[in-house]
Structures are given as C-alpha cells and as structure tokens.
C-alpha cells in the first residue's frame, strides 16, 4: 500500500474486465470439477457406509483427517509428487468436499422415516428401487444442503490454489498482496465472495425445483 | 523415497532449530497468533451466542453469521486485513502480526457464536420450565441447566474455530508474518521441496493435534448423564 | 417421616388475557389446607394456564391468588417457586445431573447444609419407592418413564413445600404404571399433608384423586365440587357429558358397602351359601361385580365375624337411579 493512493482505483477495474471474466471461468471450472468428482466419490462411500455400517468409523476418520489438514499444507504435501498443476489443486479441493458431502448423504438417507421405508417394502419395492425412488428423493434436501456447503467452501479454497499457480480470483488477491495493490486484492476477494453467494442462491433454486414437496406448507 | 529422506535430514539439521527461523520459534508464533485470535473470538462470540440462545432473540442473525463466515475465503480475509490493519494501526502495521491476527478473529467468531446459540436454544424446553418452576432465576437457568447441557456443542464450535484459525494462520506468511506457513511459502518461492514438505507436515500435525486435543477435552468435560442419554438414544 | 402442613390456596377473580382472547375468565375457588384439588376440562379450557399462574410462570391479568392468605403477586417469583413443588408431564429432570442431585435442587438453591440435603434426598427416594442405594447415583436416562416420574415427585417435595402443582404428571406413562403411581401419590399426599393443585384431562383420574374437582370450560369454572357430588349432581349438560354417561357406575366406586342401608330382616342362615361375603370397606362397584358374578343377587356383609345384613341388587340400582 502506497501513501496517497486511493483504496480502490476504478479506472484500473474498468480496464481489466476481460481478465476478471477469464479468472471467473477458471474459478468456476476448478469448483465444478472438485464438487462433481467429490460428489461421485462421496456417494460411493455413502452407499458403502449404509450397506456396511462397520466401514463408517474408518471412512469418517480418513475424510475427517483430510478435512482437518490446512489447505495450503495439503497442497504443499502434494507438490513434490504432482507439481504445480491442476491435478494438485483438484486432489486437495476434492479431499475437502468428501466429509461434508458424505455426512449429508448418509444423514439424509438415514433420516427417511422408517415407516415410509416399511411401506415401500410392504408394497414390493426392491432394495434398489427403494434407494432410487424413495430414499434419494426424500434425502435430496439434506444432500443438496451438503452440496451447498461443499460448493461455498470450495469456492473459498480455490483462491488458495493461486499459491500453486492456479486459483481463479485468488490470483488477483495474491498479485494484489505481492504488489501492495489494494484495488486488485479487494476486487479478487469481493468477486470470490460474490461467486459463492450466487452459486449458493442457484443451488437453493435447484433444490426448490427438485423437491417441490418440501414447500407444501 | 529421496524426498522423504531429504525431509528427515531437514528435521535432523540443528541449523533449523536456531535463530529467527527455528522450528520452535515458528511453532510458537503460529500457536500464539492462533491462540490469541481464538481467545478474542471466544470473548466476543460466546457471550453474544449464549445471550441470544437464552432469550431466543435474533436467531436468524445468529444462524446466518456462520454462513457468511463460511463464504469469506480465508485468503480474502488475510488480504483484506492488510488495508484494514494499515488504516486502523498505521501503514507500518499493515504487514506481519496485526493483519494476520485481525483476519483470524472473524474466522473464529461464526462457529462459536452459532454453536452457542443453537446449543442453548436446543436445550429441552421442559427441562428449563421445570427449572424455572422450581425457582431458578434467569442467571441460574443459564448456569445450572443451559450451559452444562449446551457444553458439548459449544466446545465443538470452539474446536471448529481453533482448527480453522490454525489452518488460516498458515497464510499469514503471505503478509510477512512468521508461523509455520513461512516454510511453505519460502519453500515454494525457493523451490526447496524439503523445506516445503517439512512445513506442510508441521502444519498438518499441528491442526490434527488441535483437533484431537479438543476432542479429548470435550469427551472429558461432558457430563456422564448426557453421555448415558446419547448412548441410550 | 416429616409431616409438612399444607397451606390454603385461593383463586380470587383471576383472569388471564392473551391479546383479545380470555384464557381464564374470573376464576374463583378455594382449596382447603392439605387437600387435593383437580382442575379438569377439555384442552383449551384454561386449566394449565390457571396452574401456572400460581407459581407465576404465567402472570395473571387480573385478580389475586392467595397462599395462606398471602398474595403470590406480592412475592419475588423465584423465592415463591422454591416454596411450591412443581411436577410436569415431561418431568423435566436435568439430564446432566444424577437422581440425587436432581432431587436436591431446591434445597441447594435454599442453601441447606450438605448433610441435610443428603439425608432429605435419601428419605424422599425411599418415600417414592426408589431404593436410594440403587438409584441415587444414576442418571435420568437410565430410568424408566415411571421411575422418572417418581423422581419428579420426590424433587418437587424436596423442600417440604406447603403447596404442590402437578400438570398431567401421569399422562405419559402406561395405564398399569399410572394406576400404581396414582395410588402411591395418594399415600404420599396423605402422609405429607401437602395441598395439591392437579391438572388432568382424564375425568377418571380426577374422580379417583380429587378431594375437590374443578371442571373448567373456555376459561370459566363450570362446577366445583367433591367427586361424589359431581357425579350425582352435574350442574349442566356439559358436565354431565364430560363425566360420562356411566357416571352412575363411576359413582359406585366412590361409595362403600358400609355406607348403605342394609337389609337386616333376613337371617344369615337363610341366605344362599353362594352369596359373596362383603366387607363394609369394599366399594359398591366391587360389591356389584361380585354379586353379579355369583348369581346369588345378594351379598353378605360381615364386619370381621359380625353379620351386619344383606346387600341387594335393587338397593344398588336405587343408588344409580338416584343420581339421574
């Protein structure tokens, strides 16, 4: 920060809109890949937990430990092996989504009332049909709540990947810090928060579309 | 295998335990700024959370503070703290300890406040009514009933805050603060992977140690009556 | 056993208004010291609101409530509540405290010395039928519903309150346990002499436990009478319907053989040997059941060995008819 310079230089912002659009694309791409891959893995692990409850403790322990390791440290531990690449960033980002997604998928499915499940069994649904037609639709609200949490936290963590050469809006923040240029730093932070809010709102809309019965009252 | 050998040699090198860049110094810096930030956050958030939970007022705000807190990326919090610390404390304080400390406090507040609110609000209304009916005053209701019953969740909130803060304190190295993040940032800049890896290992172990220590403390601090209750459910 | 003396409890023109809604409308009645008064009525009749105004969990809009002549509104609420026992359906035991700690709550608040609290706790657990050595150190979650409710009663009695408030205390336990708890409650109440205000929606419970029954509807007191009188002379169609079309039979449960006008003209030897032997203490309901079962149509009433006379079905029939 230099004395006498305004906190925000609007002319700089106006002349860099192209770069913001590029960083937005990068940020969204990193986020979407991380949450999608994370969801697929978490879904598989959830089915495993539901089928074999004994696996719950070790799976929760591993994903919980991954979740506890600070993001920068996790990236740093991977760098010697996978370098300053998208792969390093995604391995880290995916690791962080697992616990959140897994917890919500399992909780959502376990939260399906026993009498509903019993009625389905009584009407002759097969276990597979119960999962896809009864349990998953009813668990959807809780599952999407998990996706929202995972998405918001991933959008925040993507900024940290700027330190390993990726980063979307995080890139603006990092350059801002390194150059003591508050305008760029604030723009990066604000855009990242804005993206999180927009993504969250979109997921809320999606949830309302998919689970109309939760609005019955 | 060579990397792990390098890392082991890095840890064995006495030079890394001397001077301002010594492991124990960095660890202490990291722990100190984290501890102070969690403590400050606790002093701010706990009374507010308990009060809101006890009275049941402003629940919407209490719950949403957590979501807002989650939406602010840790890197952005650190970055924004530079101009804030510079403005509040003078430009010479815009780097180092102060921006790191200031950035960590708002990360500590949301989980503590929200958990305290939810925990106190969640105490069985019948138990509270029985307490009031027996002549417990408002302060006694909070102290004798709500606090002990809310304790597990309150402690879990403090644990979440502490783990988040320890993790984010790593980024303090970007704004010229010390701490264990120093090794990672410098290791990246200098492409010294042994230093990078050692730093990352130390940070990861510290975070896990905080998590485990709090978890152990929580189990010890919870009334056996509540443990029995949870086991019975 | 310490015997507390109950206090008199009086409602004087007590009203409670929520917005434009009158939840309790000019309620007035007196409960003599040491008696059980049951507030009964359909949901929304204002019975629980009335109960909670006594310990000021709800503040009356108008009127006064007097305990031994002293207006509860003039007292500091927490001090007042420590002198009033309070039992609710959900019990509300503190889950993080042992049974002994739960029972000792009010004595601790009152600053009793430790030894006295311990002695009182032990005494109370024994009183409610829970072996102190087995239960004192347990936690509420380790008890059955019936046991928890006993602890609730013990906790309410801890500081020897002159008045006890009970809000559907036996509503959540199964019928067999409820019956046993009711009987024990009656024994304990006679023993302690506490004045009890008791809310229920179950008319049978009201008749079984009450010295007086206050029937409420829409916030108003409809009838206030001893149970026998309530069954014999309901003041209007609402009370008649509320106590049930079988109120004649219910009333038989409150009357004893000894209170009947017996037929003394028949010699004992002339009575069929199949006729059941009845004691003066048995209720008319029991007598009726045994007489019907025996086909003898009459019962022999013996006080010990002494023959008092015959009880006939027509005499019982007359009792039922006299109600209607």
């Amino acid at each position: 920060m230099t004395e006498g310079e305004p906190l925000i230089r609007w002319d700089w912002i106006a002349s860099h809109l192209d770069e913001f659009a590029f960083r937005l694309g990068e940020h969204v791409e990193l986020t979407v890949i991380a949450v999608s891959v994370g969801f697929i893995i978490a879904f598989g692990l959830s089915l495993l937990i539901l089928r074999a409850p004994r696996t719950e403790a070790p799976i929760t322990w591993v994903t919980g430990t991954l979740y506890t390791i600070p993001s920068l440290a996790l990236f740093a531990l991977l760098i010697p092996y996978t370098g300053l690449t998208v792969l390093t960033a995604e391995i880290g980002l995916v690791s962080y989504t697992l616990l959140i997604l897994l917890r919500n998928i399992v909780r959502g499915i376990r939260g399906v009332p026993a009498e509903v499940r019993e009625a389905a069994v009584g009407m002759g649904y097969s276990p597979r049909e119960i999962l896809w037609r009864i349990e998953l639709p009813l668990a959807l609200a809780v599952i999407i709540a998990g996706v929202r949490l995972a998405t918001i936290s991933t959008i925040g963590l993507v900024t940290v990947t700027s330190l390993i050469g990726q980063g979307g809006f995080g890139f603006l923040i990092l350059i801002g810090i390194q150059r003591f240029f508050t305008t760029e730093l604030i723009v990066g932070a604000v855009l990242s928060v804005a993206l999180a809010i927009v993504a969250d709102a979109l997921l809320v809309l999606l949830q309302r579309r998919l689970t109309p019965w939760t609005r019955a009252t | 295998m060579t990397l792990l050998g390098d890392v082991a040699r890095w840890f064995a090198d006495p030079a890394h335990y001397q001077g301002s860049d010594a492991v124990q110094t960095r660890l202490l810096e990291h722990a100190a700024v984290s501890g102070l930030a969690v403590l400050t956050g606790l002093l701010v958030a706990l009374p507010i959370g308990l009060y809101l939970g006890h009275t049941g007022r402003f629940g919407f705000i209490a719950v949403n503070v957590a979501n807002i807190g989650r939406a602010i990326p840790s890197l952005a919090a650190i970055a924004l703290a530079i101009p804030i610390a510079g403005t509040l404390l003078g430009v010479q304080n815009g780097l180092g300890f102060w921006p790191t400390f200031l950035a960590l406090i708002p990360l500590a507040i949301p989980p503590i406040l929200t958990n305290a609110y939810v925990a106190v609000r969640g105490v069985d209304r019948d138990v509270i009514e029985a307490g009031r009916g027996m002549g417990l005053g408002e302060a006694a209701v909070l102290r004798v009933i709500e606090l002990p019953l809310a304790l597990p969740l309150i402690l879990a909130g403090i644990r979440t805050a502490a783990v988040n803060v320890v993790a984010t304190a790593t980024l303090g190295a970007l704004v010229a603060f010390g701490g264990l993040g120093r090794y990672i940032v410098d290791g990246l800049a200098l492409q010294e992977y042994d230093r990078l890896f050692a730093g990352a290992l130390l940070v990861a172990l510290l975070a896990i140690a905080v998590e485990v220590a709090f978890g152990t403390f929580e189990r010890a601090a919870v009334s056996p009556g509540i443990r029995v209750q949870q086991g019975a459910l | 056993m310490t015997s507390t003396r109950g206090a008199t409890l009086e409602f004087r023109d007590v009203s409670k208004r929520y917005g434009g809604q009158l939840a309790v409308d000019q309620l007035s009645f007196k409960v003599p010291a040491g008696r059980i008064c049951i507030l009964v009525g359909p949901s929304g009749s204002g019975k629980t609101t009335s109960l909670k105004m006594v310990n000021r969990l709800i503040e009356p809009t108008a009127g006064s409530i007097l305990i031994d002549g002293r207006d509860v509104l003039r007292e500091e609420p927490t001090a007042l509540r420590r002198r009033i026992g309070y039992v609710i359906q959900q019990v509300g035991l503190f889950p993080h405290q042992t049974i002994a700690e739960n029972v000792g709550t009010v004595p601790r608040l009152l600053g009793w010395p430790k030894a006295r609290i311990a002695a009182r706790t032990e005494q109370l657990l024994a009183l409610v039928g829970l072996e102190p050595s087995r239960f004192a150190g347990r936690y509420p979650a380790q008890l059955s519903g019936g046991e928890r409710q006993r602890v609730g009663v013990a906790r309410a009695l801890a500081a020897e309150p002159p008045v006890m408030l009970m809000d559907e205390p036996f509503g959540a336990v199964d019928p067999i346990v409820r019956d046993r708890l009711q009987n024990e409650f009656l024994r304990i109440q006679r023993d302690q002499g506490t004045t009890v205000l008791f809310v229920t929606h179950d008319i049978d419970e009201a008749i079984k436990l009450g010295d007086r029954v206050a029937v409420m509807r829409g916030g108003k007191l409809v009838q206030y009478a001893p149970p026998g009188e309530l069954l014999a002379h309901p003041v209007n169609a609402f009370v008649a319907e509320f106590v049930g079309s079988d109120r004649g039979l219910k009333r038989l449960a409150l009357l004893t053989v000894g209170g009947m006008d017996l037929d003394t003209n028949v010699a004992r030897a002339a009575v069929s040997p199949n006729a059941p032997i009845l004691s003066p203490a048995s209720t008319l309901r029991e007598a009726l059941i045994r007489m019907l079962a025996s086909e003898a149509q009459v019962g022999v009433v013996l006080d010990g060995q002494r023959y008092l006379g015959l009880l006939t079905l027509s005499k019982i029939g007359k009792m039922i008819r006299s109600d209607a």
Side-chain angles (χ1 to χ4, degrees), chain B residues 3 50 61 71 120 136 142 154 179 187 207 210:
Chain B
L3 174 72
L50 292 179
I61 298 175
V120 170
L136 267 65
L142 186 61
I154 292 175
V210 168

Side-chain angles (χ1 to χ4, degrees), chain C residues 54-56 67 72 75-84:
Chain C
V54 177
N55 64 359
R56 294 183 59 188
I67 292 177
V72 298
E75 298 192 45
E76 205 276 308
T78 54
L80 170 77
R81 291 171 192 158
R82 289 172 198 183
R83 294 193 295 111
I84 298 177

